[in-house]
């Protein structure tokens, strides 16, 4: 019988997580590290990345280090990939989560704001795929994980540019999975909905919005970074060995329904 527990074990694996200082990136690094992988925690916030690395190392399962990078800078991402190869000898897992959202109507967007969002979200993913795809192609294995969003498939006013960038990531994932599959490399995306992170902190501060967004999910609550990090660790593991080109929804059922689940209710059946 297949040893299913071993499929989730990342012992002996190596990983790079971009965005590891906070939120979903931090949770992804922690989840992957807690399953046994060596992790390089990369972020523009070096102190935050170092703190994450220390927490992972303290588990005693694998070592973790930190590196400062700008996820919107293609040269920085390439330097990170080469550093990982030199330090780790191989790259089994690469995860990138950083994103920027400027909440404005499209007619009110400036070109500079558009470029800021697209350079980090969309172009950042493009550079991430190239820099980590090349060494994985040569070694003949690996799992690449990007971060999309349920906004790739459902929208609200003021999120058009952000949503376009996340939809673009989902399409890049499909294309890159097709290109990398013959080389034994899997490419996927995690696709969260409303998660309690720095990016969503301004929304959480408004009780009415916090409650409304929670009500859009079938679970009637916001998600935690750890719930998305767990999904990233799954996609990184051999338990997901036949999954590629996928955008794994971690959205509490938001995209499964048309609006808040406030329709007919039923009485629990009696015993």
């Amino acid at each position: 019988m297949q040893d299913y527990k071993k499929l989730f074990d990342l012992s002996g694996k190596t990983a790079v997580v971009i965005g590891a200082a906070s939120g979903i990136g931090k949770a992804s690094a922690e989840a992957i590290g807690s399953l046994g992988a060596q992790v390089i925690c990369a972020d523009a916030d070096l102190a935050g990345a170092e703190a994450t690395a220390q927490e992972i190392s303290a588990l005693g399962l694998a070592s973790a280090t930190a590196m400062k990078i700008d996820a919107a800078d293609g040269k920085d991402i390439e330097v990170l990939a080469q550093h990982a190869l030199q330090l780790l000898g191989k790259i089994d897992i690469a995860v990138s989560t950083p994103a920027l959202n400027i909440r404005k109507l499209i007619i009110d967007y400036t070109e500079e704001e558009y470029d800021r969002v697209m350079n980090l979200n969309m172009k950042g993913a493009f550079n991430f795929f190239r820099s980590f795809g090349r060494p994985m192609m040569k070694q003949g294995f690996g799992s690449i994980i990007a971060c999309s969003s349920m906004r790739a498939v459902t929208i609200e006013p003021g999120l058009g540019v952000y949503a376009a960038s996340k939809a673009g990531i989902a399409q890049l994932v499909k294309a890159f999975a097709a290109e990398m599959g013959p080389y034994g490399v899997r490419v996927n995306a995690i696709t969260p909905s409303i998660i309690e992170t720095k990016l969503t902190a301004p929304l959480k501060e408004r009780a009415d919005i916090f409650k409304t967004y929670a009500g859009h999910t079938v679970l009637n609550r916001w998600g935690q970074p750890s719930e998305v990090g767990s999904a990233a660790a799954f996609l990184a593991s051999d338990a997901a060995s036949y999954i590629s080109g996928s955008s794994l929804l971690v959205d509490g059922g938001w995209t499964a329904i048309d609006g808040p689940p406030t329709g007919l209710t039923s009485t629990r059946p009696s015993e």
Side-chain angles (χ1 to χ4, degrees), residues 9-94:
D9 186 6
L10 298 179
S11 299
K13 303 281 189 179
T14 62
V16 178
V17 180
I18 302 175
S22 63
I24 291 171
K26 176 180 173 65
S28 298
E30 290 173 342
I32 290 168
S34 69
L35 291 174
Q38 287 183 270
V39 186
I40 295 178
C41 302
D43 203 290
D45 175 5
L46 180 58
E50 289 175 335
T52 301
Q54 289 171 4
E55 290 175 14
I56 294 170
S57 296
L59 296 173
L61 299 173
S63 63
T65 59
M67 183 171 176
K68 182 175 182 178
I69 71 155
D70 178 355
D73 188 323
K75 292 181 180 178
D76 268 18
I77 295 176
E78 179 62 26
V79 168
L80 172 63
Q82 294 305 314
H83 170 72
L85 276 176
Q86 293 174 6
L87 181 67
L88 304 174
K90 60 173 182 169
I91 305 172
D92 292 293
I93 303 156

Side-chain angles (χ1 to χ4, degrees), residues 11 57-58 65 117 139 196 238 271:
S11 299
S57 296
T65 59
V117 173
Q139 66 191 22
E196 294 191 44
D238 289 340
E271 294 294 336

